[in-house]
Amino acid sequence: MCGIIGYLGHKEAYPLLLAGLQQLEYRGYDSAGICTSSDNTLHVHKLQGRVQNLTAMSLPGTRGIGHTRWSTHGRPSDRNAHPFADGKNQFSVVHNGIIENYLELKEELRKEGVQFSSDTDSEVIVHLIAQNYQGDLRQAVLDTIKRLQGAYAFCVLKNDREEIIGVRNGSPLVVGIGVQENFLASDVSAVIEHTRNVIYLNDFECARITREGVDIRTFQGEPCPFNVKEVNWNLEQAQKQGYKHFMLKEIYEQPQVVEDSLRQSLSLKTKFSRLIIVACGTAFYAGLVGKYLIETVAKIPVTVEIASEFRYKEPLFSAQELVLAISQSGETADTLAAVRLAKQQGIGTLGLINVVDSTIAREVDQVIYTRAGPEIGVASTKAFTAQLLTLYQLAFYLAGKDFKPLHLADQLRAVLSLNDQIKDLAQKYFHYQNFLYIGRNSQYPLALEGALKLKEISYIHAEAYPAGELKHGPLALVSEETPTVALCLQDSVYQKTFSNIQEIKARGGKVIAIATEEDEKIRSISDDVIYLPKVEELFLPLLAVIPLQLFAYHIADIKECDVDKPRNLAKSVTVE
Ligand code: M6R
């Protein structure tokens, strides 16, 4: 996720902005840059790679803006790093978020003679501001906003003005209040060293900071009342935005991930009649849900292969097949090897990747980026949701249908509101040594994902099975000492799973059911029930994963495990 900092005061801006960017590094980024202003001139230094690379030099001035970039549009490179300037080097902009209509705006600006220096969506903002400027920077920004579609926060500096303008629409931005100095930042970690007094901007608000003060307006230019809040967090708490762990923060970011994912449109270069999905871990389980979605919606056959197995097979590829690699990091060694195997055999490859310009993203024939933003917790949560969202989009695209689900993000928010209930359940069940997870159809991969989450962060043994497999062996494990998490949401196989729960109960097993609201019947055969809102069968996986993540999280937290960095595991598995 990109990071922003802006400073205007009595100190040298460059070292201060640099330190602010270092505090934003935890968000993940691939390039960084700073622009300062002195003697009516803008000075810029921006580079691909670490913030540390910017320490080799300094720029003059007591005002400036800085940015860490997590690529979305345009690969990581010096030229795509922020800040961006207009042709006359009078305006400078740093931007977080996505400008959805940038291609259209770019085309229009090009026709008017504007030359672009990057491949980003962000650069259109600075050229529009330069065009709209008639002596009032804030007004030029407000006029520019009228042309922008998407979610964004950005800050603007002008060479000869003692002010910085910041706006918020869908991406966070805070104002830090100092003494004879003020700040703008995408999160409080960047300013906490200098001030604990902050204003959290709301969407559709525009802040103007000067050395002396702050003025906040609506996007219509009307003055806005604001509250200055005192932040009591330390730096580490601020980076987690008050959440105890990154994993919990990332679980709560999922509604936003849904909204961001739905903003992107998808198109494919290749045609194929069969899809082979290759992936590892959570990404493999996303692939299993993808199989269900693509076969149900687009009627295209899909096989899903664990990459570490697939790479050592002698697959019988045939023309008209496409290999789809799913990976958050884009660096997983086995998934990469599976891609290379397909390429050697002349088979087309597609990547569904979260980290822009990662190795797999560069090696596949075509890449679709998921919109999870950086995931810091080793346990994958929001990346899984972003992978599912993109697989829905792919399934609908292949079927030639529109994918415009209503209220999905709000339904996820409703599930997140069950957190306290799930925490109580974690308290009740954390001392068990073994768990079973069961589900059928699209809920089976969710059972696998729920069991993986519990294993990897709480070190409790958990096994997942298709509910119909119980009688073929795992039923022997059922006892009072082995609770079962049963995914029994109302779908076409509901009654079958319901019967499996009865079989478990008849053998003295405890059952935590994940069920659909108003299903009173299930309460009578389960020890505990987590009720989810009613949604179309196709969308059940998106909702059902959240209680599984929260249950694993709270159990691990109660057991005082290192939730974000579980033992023996790495975030990116770059070796076999
Ligand atoms: O970066 P990738 O998506 O390729 O990673 C694949 C797995 O290593 C990853 O999903 C792993 O299973 C997670 N720790 C699960 O939470």
Side-chain angles (χ1 to χ4, degrees):
M1 214 86 73
C2 304
I4 287 179
I5 175 155
Y7 173 76
L8 200 158
H10 48 90
K11 297 178 191 141
E12 274 303 298
Y14 194 84
L16 200 144
L17 294 169
L18 203 58
L21 292 183
Q22 274 159 344
Q23 309 302 7
L24 293 173
E25 282 188 297
Y26 78 95
R27 295 161 68 100
Y29 69 103
D30 47 55
S31 42
I34 288 177
C35 174
T36 62
S37 175
S38 69
D39 301 327
N40 294 344
T41 307
L42 294 181
H43 316 278
V44 183
H45 187 33
K46 53 182 190 171
L47 291 171
Q48 183 186 345
R50 317 306 301 165
V51 172
Q52 181 64 24
N53 299 342
L54 300 175
T55 55
M57 61 178 282
S58 187
L59 299 171
T62 55
R63 60 182 188 276
I65 52 179
H67 191 261
T68 48
R69 174 172 188 251
W70 164 269
S71 300
T72 55
H73 296 72
R75 53 178 304 187
S77 63
D78 294 354
R79 71 192 292 268
N80 288 336
H82 299 217
F84 295 110
D86 64 309
K88 293 184 181 158
N89 201 32
Q90 292 180 339
F91 300 84
S92 181
V93 165
V94 288
H95 162 232
N96 285 2
I98 298 172
I99 305 300
E100 287 163 17
N101 58 336
Y102 82 103
L103 282 175
E104 174 190 321
L105 293 169
K106 205 165 174 174
E107 191 50 34
E108 181 187 312
L109 288 159
R110 268 207 182 109
K111 281 189 187 142
E112 290 163 14
V114 172
Q115 293 198 342
F116 283 82
S117 60
S118 77
D119 315 311
T120 65
D121 54 335
S122 314
E123 195 185 339
V124 295
I125 304 171
V126 75
H127 295 297
L128 287 171
I129 292 171
Q131 277 194 345
N132 288 327
Y133 184 71
Q134 289 176 349
D136 181 339
L137 185 58
R138 176 165 55 201
Q139 194 53 52
V141 170
L142 293 178
D143 290 342
T144 297
I145 282 164
K146 293 180 192 144
R147 304 290 321 278
L148 304 179
Q149 288 166 16
Y152 50 80
F154 64 83
C155 288
V156 190
L157 179 70
K158 182 162 182 341
N159 61 331
D160 56 357
R161 311 247 342 164
E162 282 277 341
E163 61 182 329
I164 302 175
I165 310 292
V167 296
R168 174 188 166 138
N169 174 14
S171 286
L173 197 66
V174 298
V175 180
I177 314 281
V179 179
Q180 285 294 300
E181 59 180 3
N182 288 302
F183 305 80
L184 281 158
S186 48
D187 77 60
V188 289
S189 352
V191 300
I192 211 163
E193 221 181 283
H194 308 281
T195 177
R196 293 191 165 265
N197 297 322
V198 302
I199 302 164
Y200 292 93
L201 290 188
N202 296 309
D203 279 342
F204 317 119
E205 286 182 355
C206 169
R208 173 176 180 267
I209 64 164
T210 58
R211 205 187 264 216
E212 291 75 29
V214 179
D215 178 30
I216 298 182
R217 302 283 172 100
T218 64
F219 278 9
Q220 288 69 42
E222 305 295 329
C224 272
F226 56 82
N227 290 323
V228 179
K229 297 215 165 113
E230 197 186 330
V231 178
N232 298 316
W233 299 335
N234 61 30
L235 179 63
E236 198 198 330
Q237 288 166 325
Q239 292 183 334
K240 290 175 186 155
Q241 285 168 26
Y243 291 99
K244 190 168 176 189
H245 297 100
F246 282 112
M247 180 183 175
L248 190 60
K249 171 174 168 275
E250 287 159 4
I251 291 173
Y252 271 85
E253 279 170 353
Q254 291 176 108
Q256 184 66 52
V257 167
V258 168
E259 284 166 354
D260 290 346
S261 305
L262 289 176
R263 276 194 199 102
Q264 82 171 338
S265 57
L266 190 145
S267 82
L268 284 189
K269 291 185 208 146
T270 23
K271 288 204 184 313
F272 55 91
S273 56
R274 184 165 160 255
L275 194 63
I276 303 168
I277 297 180
V278 292
C280 301
T282 290
F284 172 74
Y285 300 147
L288 292 177
V289 179
K291 173 182 167 69
Y292 160 80
L293 296 173
I294 294 167
E295 291 186 344
T296 308
V297 179
K299 311 288 178 213
I300 293 176
V302 180
T303 50
V304 192
E305 303 267 359
I306 291 180
S308 55
E309 289 293 313
F310 184 79
R311 65 179 290 189
Y312 294 115
K313 283 184 182 171
E314 291 179 15
L316 301 173
F317 288 119
S318 61
Q320 293 298 305
E321 282 178 339
L322 182 75
V323 165
L324 168 64
I326 305 179
S327 174
Q328 186 286 128
S329 61
E331 302 293 348
T332 302
D334 289 319
T335 312
L336 178 61
V339 166
R340 288 181 177 160
L341 176 66
K343 290 188 82 171
Q344 278 160 14
Q345 309 272 333
I347 299 300
T349 53
L350 174 68
L352 212 148
I353 310 291
N354 198 42
V355 178
V356 172
D357 231 29
S358 50
T359 310
I360 301 176
R362 281 185 273 115
E363 292 206 11
V364 285
D365 299 326
Q366 190 185 346
V367 59
I368 301 170
Y369 286 115
T370 49
R371 299 284 181 219
E375 194 177 59
I376 295 168
V378 164
S380 190
T381 52
K382 62 175 182 167
F384 177 77
T385 293
Q387 286 159 353
L388 291 196
L389 247 295
T390 316
L391 287 162
Y392 279 97
Q393 289 172 317
L394 184 62
F396 277 72
Y397 173 85
L398 293 171
K401 295 180 185 164
D402 270 356
F403 179 63
K404 294 215 182 316
L406 297 172
H407 316 304
L408 212 49
D410 287 337
Q411 281 156 340
L412 263 69
R413 286 188 184 99
V415 180
L416 286 167
S417 72
L418 302 173
N419 182 48
D420 287 349
Q421 185 208 344
I422 296 168
K423 195 171 173 180
D424 290 346
L425 284 181
Q427 196 65 52
K428 181 170 166 188
Y429 286 95
F430 81 95
H431 58 277
Y432 286 93
Q433 307 287 318
N434 298 288
F435 277 80
L436 268 176
Y437 281 69
I438 58 165
R440 285 173 183 257
N441 212 359
S442 70
Q443 293 170 57
Y444 166 53
L446 272 287
L448 288 164
E449 174 60 4
L452 175 62
K453 286 291 90 91
L454 190 68
K455 286 186 257 223
E456 72 177 326
I457 60 168
S458 75
Y459 318 140
I460 292 175
H461 172 235
E463 298 242 20
Y465 274 92
E469 274 289 294
L470 276 182
K471 288 193 194 67
H472 302 286
L475 206 50
L477 292 174
V478 167
S479 75
E480 277 220 351
E481 295 311 310
T482 305
T484 299
V485 177
L487 285 135
C488 191
L489 290 148
Q490 257 147 17
D491 65 3
S492 49
V493 285
Y494 165 80
Q495 199 50 54
K496 303 285 172 197
T497 315
F498 190 90
S499 303
N500 295 128
I501 296 178
Q502 286 176 313
E503 285 159 15
I504 292 169
K505 285 308 294 174
R507 283 152 186 87
K510 292 198 162 45
V511 172
I512 306 162
I514 299 186
T516 306
E517 63 188 357
E518 293 171 20
D519 181 355
E520 287 306 320
K521 213 168 70 164
I522 208 157
R523 202 191 282 282
S524 62
I525 59 156
S526 310
D527 296 86
D528 290 285
V529 187
I530 300 169
Y531 282 114
L532 304 186
K534 263 191 197 139
V535 287
E536 228 182 282
E537 180 166 350
L538 203 62
F539 296 114
L540 291 177
L542 275 170
L543 268 57
V545 73
I546 292 179
L548 301 172
Q549 295 167 343
L550 286 171
F551 187 62
Y553 169 77
H554 287 299
I555 288 190
D557 186 35
I558 293 165
K559 292 183 72 186
E560 297 183 358
C561 297
D562 191 349
V563 172
D564 287 330
K565 291 196 186 85
R567 68 185 182 204
N568 309 338
L569 298 179
K571 182 67 187 159
S572 189
V573 186
T574 53
V575 288
E576 266 194 80

